[in-house]
């Protein structure tokens, strides 16, 4: 059973599984078959387009980032080998495979019983994040049940965080009744909301640094494609500083610049196709709600690739690449060399971007805080992850003492839960379970007010105008 489920995920992938799930949901909501199938096709086209676009962009930018790091002469023992290697590790452990089936069952039951309004199984692939922390705990403690409890509790917390930011993410990125649930990114919600509140109190919202405002002030130089060209060129220069006297160096600078501009130009078109896949379900769910006594607003979990190339997200992510390299060098006590996953920073900050409503200035600060905390978290747990990787047969890169994934293991919340469970202290573990139920009750009771607060914080004066019209 477990091998079959894993085989289905490996064989078909999100671009096939998600459309099938979408068609089934649409038919269940009595969307006409032709429209339901077209919605599924559009979702598959969108996901394939996202993956093709990002897949073409990463190989162009990654060598530049590696050269930039090599030029600095950084020598840190924990090497970031990327999220792909981490997912392979998670899907290669016994406890991870158990949760692959258990997590699917849990998420379906929680949705059908209305414990949550997030249909998480649509993004089943990203369950590997739970599987990673559970596998690490099992390898270290040998306690299977403790590892399973950790993964279940992590899943429950993830759904609460998703409930909190679902409306804000859906509104900002323009995907009707959709949200991300990737645990390694959604767990930034508490920090994103807290940092946004602090920065707003300090007046940072007055620095309205958004792509559209930049475009208004500096004309065509502020257009997304032009900004992409400029940022790509700057990144290219940083990675070719020692090769400016060569034609190859200038060629790479130009290639990165054009590739970044291409992301800015093409991504919104693919996003439009992907967003159209959900209009039928949204309309049908509204009609169904009108017939019922109480409206249920629910959200479909989608892959985090759906937000990667949004203008403010990509711009902030690219700006954070050199910032995080510098921070990694000067940060006292840090042992992590972020490298492969630096290009994944746009994924990592989607919740932060949505909460700040695309304010690049605020998002840079909050994103840097999130990623910096991740360096410390990874420093604490990299040895354990490396043990798990070795246990499933992963070969360490030449020169690497320890390995990690900067994108996946920069997760303050799940890392904190993992460290608490590592103590095997029933009192500490019990507190985390009680804390979940308290948080759950508070969020479910106050969800409309929470959503209203996030919209008001994000939109500011725009929200006040909308309320009065």
């Amino acid at each position: 059973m477990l091998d079959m489920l894993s085989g289905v995920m490996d064989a078909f992938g999100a671009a096939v599984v998600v459309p099938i799930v979408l068609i089934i949901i649409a038919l269940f909501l009595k969307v006409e078959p032709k429209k339901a199938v077209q919605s599924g096709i559009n979702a598959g086209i969108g996901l394939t387009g996202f993956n093709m676009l990002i897949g073409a962009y990463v190989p162009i930018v990654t060598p530049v980032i590696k050269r930039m790091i090599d030029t600095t002469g950084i020598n840190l023992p924990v090497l970031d080998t990327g999220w792909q290697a981490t997912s392979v590790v998670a899907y290669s452990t016994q406890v991870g495979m158990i949760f692959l089936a258990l997590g699917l069952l849990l998420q379906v039951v929680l949705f059908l019983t209305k414990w949550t309004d997030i249909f998480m199984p649509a993004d089943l692939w990203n369950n590997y994040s739970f599987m990673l922390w559970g596998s690490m705990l099992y390898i270290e403690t040998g306690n299977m049940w403790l590892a399973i409890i950790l993964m279940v509790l992590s899943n429950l917390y993830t759904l609460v965080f998703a409930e909190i930011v679902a409306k804000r993410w859906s509104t900002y990125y323009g995907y009707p009744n959709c949200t991300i649930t990737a645990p390694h990114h959604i767990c930034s919600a508490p920090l994103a909301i807290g940092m946004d509140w602090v920065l707003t109190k300090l007046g940072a919202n007055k620095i309205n640094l958004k792509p559209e405002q930049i475009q208004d002030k500096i004309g065509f130089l502020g257009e997304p494609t032009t900004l992409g060209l400029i940022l790509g060129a700057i990144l290219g220069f940083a990675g070719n500083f020692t090769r400016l006297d060569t034609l190859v160096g200038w060629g790479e600078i130009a290639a990165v610049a054009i590739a970044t501009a291409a992301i800015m130009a093409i991504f919104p078109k693919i996003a439009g196709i992907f967003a159209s896949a959900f209009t039928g379900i949204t309309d049908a769910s509204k009609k169904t709600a009108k017939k019922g006594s109480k409206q249920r607003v629910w959200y479909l979990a989608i892959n985090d690739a759906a937000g990667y190339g949004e203008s403010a997200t990509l711009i902030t992510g690219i700006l954070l690449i050199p910032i995080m390299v510098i921070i990694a060098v000067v940060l006292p006590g840090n042992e992590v060399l972020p490298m492969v996953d630096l290009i994944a920073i746009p994924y990592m900050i989607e919740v932060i971007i949505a909460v700040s409503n695309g304010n690049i200035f605020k998002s840079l600060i909050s994103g840097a805080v999130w990623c910096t905390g991740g360096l410390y978290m990874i420093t604490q747990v990299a040895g354990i992850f490396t043990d798990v990787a070795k246990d499933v047969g992963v070969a360490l890169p030449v020169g690497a003492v320890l390995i990690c994934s900067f994108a996946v293991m920069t997760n303050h919340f799940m890392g904190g839960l993992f460290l608490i469970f590592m103590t095997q202290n029933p009192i500490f573990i019990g507190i985390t379970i009680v804390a979940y139920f308290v948080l759950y009750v508070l969020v479910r009771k106050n969800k409309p007010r929470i959503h209203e607060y996030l919209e008001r914080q994000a939109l500011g004066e725009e929200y006040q105008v909308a309320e009065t019209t």
Side-chain angles (χ1 to χ4, degrees):
M1 172 65 181
L2 297 178
D3 290 339
M4 183 181 74
L5 186 57
S6 178
V8 169
M9 291 300 297
D10 291 339
F12 294 99
V16 174
V17 173
V18 171
I20 292 173
V21 171
L22 196 62
I23 291 170
I24 293 172
I25 293 173
L27 292 174
F28 180 77
L29 290 173
K30 298 182 180 179
V31 175
E32 61 178 283
K34 179 181 177 181
K35 195 170 184 179
V37 172
Q38 188 60 55
S39 294
I41 293 172
N42 286 351
I45 291 171
L47 284 173
T48 302
F50 290 141
N51 291 329
M52 289 175 67
L53 193 59
I54 297 168
Y57 182 61
V58 170
I60 295 172
V61 179
T62 300
V64 176
I65 296 172
K66 186 177 185 305
R67 196 172 296 108
M68 178 178 66
I69 292 171
D70 291 342
T71 302
T72 63
I74 304 173
N75 186 20
L76 296 168
V78 183
L79 179 66
D80 166 30
T81 55
W83 65 266
Q84 295 91 340
T86 309
S87 64
V88 169
V89 171
Y91 275 94
S92 300
T93 65
Q94 180 186 8
V95 68
M97 291 307 299
I98 289 174
F99 187 78
L100 183 61
L102 177 62
L104 175 60
L105 177 63
L106 173 69
Q107 292 159 15
V108 170
V109 170
L110 290 174
F111 180 77
L112 293 178
T113 58
K114 299 187 179 181
W115 184 266
T116 180
D117 290 321
I118 308 294
F119 188 73
M120 194 172 178
D123 191 30
L124 183 64
W125 163 256
N126 274 314
N127 277 358
Y128 77 82
S129 198
F130 305 126
M131 295 152 63
L132 170 68
W133 295 104
S135 298
M136 290 167 60
L137 185 65
Y138 177 64
I139 291 294
E140 286 299 298
T141 65
N143 190 326
M144 176 72 76
W145 283 108
L146 195 64
I148 291 174
I149 293 171
L150 171 63
M151 291 185 288
V152 169
L153 185 62
S154 298
N155 198 156
L156 292 172
Y157 269 112
T158 294
L159 284 167
V160 172
F161 296 147
E163 294 260 13
I164 291 171
V165 298
K167 181 178 179 180
R168 178 89 287 269
W169 191 95
S170 176
T171 300
Y172 180 77
Y173 285 99
Y175 300 116
N177 289 87
C178 295
T179 186
I180 59 169
T181 54
H184 30 286
H185 306 323
I186 202 71
C187 286
S188 66
L191 181 137
I193 295 169
M195 284 294 299
D196 188 74
W197 181 85
V198 170
L199 291 170
T200 299
K201 289 294 183 183
L202 294 174
N205 56 314
K206 295 177 183 177
I207 305 176
N208 199 13
L209 193 60
K210 298 179 182 177
E212 53 268 28
Q213 272 71 35
I214 296 172
Q215 185 175 349
D216 289 341
K217 290 179 180 179
I218 60 177
F220 84 96
L221 291 176
E223 293 180 3
T225 51
T226 310
L227 282 174
L229 188 75
I230 294 170
L231 283 172
I234 293 172
L235 186 62
F237 272 109
N240 286 277
F241 190 73
T242 60
R243 304 201 309 170
L244 295 179
D245 58 341
T246 68
L247 196 60
V248 173
W250 284 100
E252 189 168 73
I253 292 170
V256 174
I258 291 295
T260 307
I263 287 277
M264 295 290 197
I266 301 171
F267 193 92
K269 294 178 173 59
I270 300 174
I273 297 173
F274 189 61
S276 69
F278 303 97
T279 55
I281 286 181
T282 302
D283 294 341
S285 62
K286 287 179 179 178
K287 290 178 182 178
T288 303
K290 288 178 182 178
K291 296 177 183 178
S293 59
K294 188 176 180 181
Q295 181 174 353
R296 184 190 187 190
V297 179
W298 60 276
Y299 293 84
L300 185 73
I302 60 175
N303 193 274
D304 45 354
Y308 183 95
E310 187 273 330
S311 296
T313 307
L314 189 60
I315 289 170
T316 307
I318 290 174
L319 290 172
L320 278 170
I321 289 174
I323 290 173
M324 290 316 303
V325 171
I326 294 169
I327 289 175
V329 174
V330 302
L331 190 65
N334 172 55
E335 297 180 0
V336 180
L337 173 59
M339 189 168 68
V340 176
D341 273 347
L342 284 171
I343 196 61
I345 290 179
Y347 292 120
M348 299 166 66
I349 59 171
E350 285 184 28
V351 173
I352 292 171
I353 291 287
V355 169
S356 75
N357 202 36
N359 187 312
I360 295 170
F361 178 71
K362 290 203 292 186
S363 297
L364 275 174
I365 298 172
S366 298
V369 171
W370 172 251
C371 292
T372 300
L375 292 175
Y376 279 127
M377 178 57 67
I378 296 170
T379 297
Q380 292 295 314
V381 303
I384 300 172
F385 172 70
T386 304
D387 289 341
V388 176
K390 288 179 179 177
D391 190 66
V392 299
V394 173
L396 269 61
V398 177
V401 178
L402 302 169
I403 60 173
C404 72
S405 164
F406 180 58
V408 177
M409 297 170 70
T410 292
N411 192 333
H412 309 181
F413 193 84
M414 281 195 192
L417 279 181
F418 167 77
L419 293 174
I420 290 172
F421 272 68
M422 275 284 290
T423 68
Q424 301 188 62
N425 186 311
I427 296 176
F428 294 160
I429 294 171
I431 290 172
T432 65
I433 295 172
V434 171
Y436 160 73
F437 284 103
V438 172
L439 177 64
Y440 175 80
V441 171
L442 289 174
V443 170
R444 293 292 286 185
K445 184 178 179 181
N446 299 288
K447 191 163 67 170
R449 282 190 285 179
I450 293 171
H451 286 176
E452 181 184 0
Y453 166 79
L454 290 177
E455 292 304 299
R456 186 170 61 249
Q457 283 287 100
L459 300 177
E461 294 180 1
E462 299 172 38
Y463 182 83
Q464 300 298 331
V465 171
E467 284 287 281
T468 57
T469 56

